[in-house]
Amino acid sequence: MAEVRLTKVEQGQTKIRNVPIAVTPEGFWCCPSPNVFQKSLKTQNPLNKPKSPLPTTQTPGHKKHTSVTEKRQASGVPKLGAVSDEKRGVASDTPAVTASVPVERTPRSKNENVPRKVSIEFGEPGTSDLRVILLGKQGFTVKLNVHKNILVENSSFFANKISEQQPVFPCIEIDDCEDVEIYVETIGLMYCKELKQRLIKQSVSRVLRIIKVAEQLGFKSCMLSCLEYLEAVPWVGEEEEEKVVSSVLRLQSEGIGMTPVLKRVSSDVSKPHKDTFSHILELVLKSNEERGRREMKSIVLKLLRENNCLPSSSGSVDSYNEIIYGSCRSCLDSILILFKQAAEPEFSNDSIDCREPVVKQMALEADNLSWMLEILTDRQAADEFALMWASQQELASLHTKLSIVSRHHVSCITARLFVGIGRGELLPSKDTRNLLLQTWLQPLINDYSWLQHGCRSFDRKVVEEGIGRTILTLPLEEQQGILLSWLGSFLKAGDNCPNLQRAFEVWWRRTFVRPYAESGNSRPLDQVTTPKVTEH
């Protein structure tokens, strides 16, 4: 590694800064710093703000690392004027790794709106046998004095170009170069023996730029080194991951092995998803650690929601739902066994140490069912769950035999189903809705006081609206039977019972105020003067 001192002239003051460079035995500047190009651009004077030309200074550079003993000098930063049509190089604050590069001054144009241009030259003309000129955007020109054998050996692009040219000192010009900086660095990498080592300190985004240029130049050894780098380095964030994958997939036509990189995001296993999801679900359901269980439930639910938005996930929906329903049936079987055990007369006489594990397990299984109901609701597949729950007459009959502390978690499942039906999140059949109300509404009423005061997540207004809307989806006669039964409970318990007055009013108006005539669509006259009521 050599070091060249640059002289930078600004407003009559001379500032010295050190710029590290790497020089190959052939005298080529290998992999210049990215700041070289950025700072060169910044040295351009703003338009319409001309400055008087200033003299430049030159400081001697270090000796080359080869047998060549002549001294090299880094030219200073001259006043940057317009470049002639012959593309004569104007030295920027970037030094050439050669003998001193003469500064060519161009007379100031009278038209101050002419954009300033920058020209940088790398390499040693005395030892090179090929010149590559890169014409970039904004008039940025880079001249590279390189060696034909190096470029032919490493680049199929340059090999073809050189074979087409016969002059003693051929010149290859690349127009509209999108990324001049990376072109220079990639050509410099052709002079390196250990490409991977040169990439270690680079960022992922820069390596992706290098691999793109290497692909254009047919520089396969560089592409392979970039792939080795991308396979080993961490990718930060989804955006960077997508950029890496898209860049790597673009190389498929080159016949380069990309499997090691892509193995991060794809699997060779024929059916990993179903078995892996089943294993994750089982681990969460069986966990007894409260915090880890709560956080993983939230993460899995979030990730499944994201999967639901992807078109590619449609093929696995049925298999995922099948796994979830299998776990639901297993939890229901466990709850029924635990309810039977807790309903035994001698259970209440057991010590707290004997009862507590059973009570905790009942709460755990009920929580599992609530979580899976949430997943199925998000996946628009909870109709079967509603039927499954409505059919648990034996579990509902045991409900009254247990203490409220033990059983109220089960009522939370019922409440969530009513809320889902009321919101239209699930659409069970009429018979299922009627069976659900007949089986579980009274147990929910029995636990209502405890749910209001003992469950932080219980929202009374939301639940009452869900129950009322579910009732109003039934035929009028069935609405009547359920609401009259509720009325008896409400008149006894008051606030300790769900307040379904809004549903009761809608049923009343449907029954007494504005019944629809069976013979036609006509309505009674008194309906015209009746205020409109929003029905749910």
Side-chain angles (χ1 to χ4, degrees):
M1 177 71 70
E3 188 176 89
V4 171
R5 303 185 70 203
L6 293 186
T7 303
K8 186 174 182 181
V9 182
E10 291 184 355
Q11 299 179 356
Q13 297 181 355
T14 302
K15 296 184 179 180
I16 306 297
R17 62 184 177 84
N18 295 329
V19 179
I21 62 174
V23 184
T24 67
E26 293 80 4
F28 185 76
W29 182 330
C30 181
C31 305
S33 167
N35 294 332
V36 168
F37 295 92
Q38 298 170 7
K39 292 180 180 178
S40 297
L41 284 173
K42 290 180 180 178
T43 60
Q44 301 182 71
N45 290 331
L47 299 180
N48 301 322
K49 293 185 179 180
K51 297 180 182 178
S52 59
L54 297 174
T56 61
T57 60
Q58 292 183 344
T59 57
H62 289 266
K63 294 182 179 180
K64 292 190 298 183
H65 294 179
T66 63
S67 59
V68 179
T69 58
E70 66 270 21
K71 296 183 179 180
R72 294 179 294 125
Q73 294 180 339
S75 63
V77 178
K79 172 66 182 176
L80 297 174
V83 177
S84 66
D85 294 338
E86 289 79 19
K87 301 182 180 65
R88 290 183 300 165
V90 179
S92 69
D93 70 337
T94 304
V97 187
T98 65
S100 60
V101 178
V103 178
E104 301 178 12
R105 297 183 179 276
T106 305
R108 179 185 299 277
S109 172
K110 293 182 179 179
N111 184 5
E112 298 297 341
N113 291 327
V114 175
R116 273 58 177 172
K117 298 184 179 182
V118 177
S119 179
I120 306 176
E121 185 164 348
F122 296 111
E124 188 158 351
T127 62
S128 63
D129 56 1
L130 176 67
R131 170 170 286 190
V132 176
I133 299 177
L134 305 175
L135 303 177
K137 297 180 180 179
Q138 301 176 348
F140 200 111
T141 303
V142 176
K143 301 175 183 179
L144 306 175
N145 298 298
V146 292
H147 306 82
K148 288 190 293 184
N149 62 322
I150 298 294
L151 270 61
V152 169
E153 180 182 352
N154 291 280
S155 168
S156 60
F157 170 82
F158 284 117
N160 294 333
K161 288 291 183 181
I162 292 172
S163 65
E164 296 172 358
Q165 300 200 24
Q166 298 303 325
V168 178
F169 192 85
C171 178
I172 297 176
E173 193 173 278
I174 301 178
D175 297 325
D176 298 326
C177 189
E178 294 183 0
D179 203 341
V180 175
E181 175 187 340
I182 298 301
Y183 260 90
V184 174
E185 179 166 359
T186 305
I187 293 174
L189 287 172
M190 296 181 187
Y191 287 80
C192 297
K193 293 182 179 180
E194 298 294 336
L195 292 180
K196 187 176 179 181
Q197 298 301 319
R198 296 292 308 179
L199 299 174
I200 285 178
K201 294 184 179 181
Q202 304 283 10
S203 65
V204 171
S205 60
R206 190 170 181 84
V207 170
L208 291 177
R209 292 165 64 191
I210 292 173
I211 200 172
K212 182 178 180 181
V213 173
E215 179 188 4
Q216 295 171 358
L217 298 180
F219 188 4
K220 287 197 173 183
S221 60
C222 181
M223 295 162 65
L224 289 171
S225 296
C226 289
L227 288 173
E228 290 179 10
Y229 168 91
L230 295 172
E231 189 276 330
V233 75
W235 307 336
V236 181
E238 293 183 8
E239 183 178 355
E240 186 167 273
E241 177 180 313
E242 290 177 1
K243 289 180 179 179
V244 171
V245 173
S246 61
S247 297
V248 172
L249 289 176
R250 193 181 63 244
L251 302 178
Q252 285 180 333
S253 60
E254 299 292 333
I256 296 177
M258 299 161 292
T259 304
V261 179
L262 297 179
K263 276 188 175 180
R264 283 201 198 180
V265 295
S266 62
S267 175
D268 295 334
V269 181
S270 58
K271 52 174 185 177
H273 305 297
K274 184 175 180 180
D275 296 340
T276 304
F277 175 71
S278 178
H279 184 58
I280 293 172
L281 192 67
E282 182 181 3
L283 288 174
V284 176
L285 294 176
K286 291 185 177 180
S287 173
N288 291 316
E289 204 286 315
E290 183 177 354
R291 179 178 178 181
R293 172 186 168 84
R294 181 177 63 253
E295 292 184 359
M296 287 309 303
K297 282 167 53 182
S298 176
I299 290 173
V300 172
L301 182 59
K302 181 189 75 171
L303 294 176
L304 285 173
R305 283 173 177 169
E306 292 177 0
N307 282 6
N308 292 343
C309 301
L310 299 176
S312 59
S313 66
S314 58
S316 59
V317 168
D318 292 338
S319 61
Y320 281 10
N321 293 345
E322 180 183 347
I323 293 171
I324 296 171
Y325 273 114
S327 297
C328 288
R329 285 186 285 270
S330 178
C331 287
L332 276 173
D333 292 340
S334 298
I335 287 181
L336 183 58
I337 293 173
L338 293 168
F339 265 51
K340 289 179 178 179
Q341 182 179 350
E344 295 292 336
E346 60 272 13
F347 181 80
S348 58
N349 298 326
D350 291 340
S351 64
I352 296 178
D353 293 338
C354 294
R355 287 179 291 161
E356 186 175 3
V358 177
V359 174
K360 284 186 176 181
Q361 190 63 31
M362 282 192 288
L364 184 68
E365 298 293 354
D367 184 66
N368 286 338
L369 282 170
S370 296
W371 177 54
M372 287 187 286
L373 172 58
E374 203 68 39
I375 294 175
L376 291 168
T377 301
D378 278 345
R379 300 174 71 80
Q380 301 177 356
D383 294 358
E384 185 180 341
F385 187 99
L387 176 59
M388 185 187 302
W389 189 249
S391 304
Q392 300 299 314
Q393 284 82 11
E394 183 178 7
L395 187 64
S397 65
L398 294 170
H399 188 271
T400 56
K401 299 180 181 180
L402 274 65
S403 64
I404 296 180
V405 177
S406 305
R407 75 193 188 198
H408 76 276
H409 299 284
V410 168
S411 294
C412 291
I413 301 172
T414 302
R416 180 62 182 91
L417 279 170
F418 285 139
V419 170
I421 295 173
R423 291 175 174 173
E425 296 174 338
L426 56 156
L427 304 173
S429 66
K430 173 181 68 68
D431 292 338
T432 299
R433 300 194 302 273
N434 188 23
L435 182 60
L436 181 65
L437 287 161
Q438 296 292 343
T439 304
W440 286 109
L441 180 57
Q442 189 57 49
L444 177 60
I445 292 175
N446 296 340
D447 294 347
Y448 209 73
S449 177
W450 181 276
L451 292 173
Q452 290 182 76
H453 302 97
C455 295
R456 294 181 180 180
S457 60
F458 188 81
D459 190 328
R460 173 173 182 165
K461 291 184 178 180
V462 173
V463 173
E464 289 172 353
E465 185 176 43
I467 297 172
R469 288 182 173 182
T470 302
I471 294 172
L472 294 174
T473 62
L474 299 176
L476 198 60
E477 292 79 6
E478 295 177 4
Q479 294 177 35
Q480 176 177 321
I482 294 171
L483 286 170
L484 291 180
S485 175
W486 160 81
L487 182 59
S489 299
F490 184 70
L491 292 174
K492 293 178 182 178
D495 286 341
N496 292 329
C497 180
N499 190 336
L500 306 181
Q501 292 184 37
R502 292 182 62 184
F504 185 82
E505 290 177 9
V506 172
W507 165 78
W508 179 280
R509 289 186 174 91
R510 287 175 175 176
T511 303
F512 300 109
V513 178
R514 53 177 190 179
Y516 292 89
E518 294 181 1
S519 58
N521 294 327
S522 60
R523 300 180 180 179
L525 183 62
D526 60 350
Q527 181 181 349
V528 178
T529 59
T530 303
K532 184 178 180 181
V533 178
T534 301
E535 300 181 3
H536 303 285

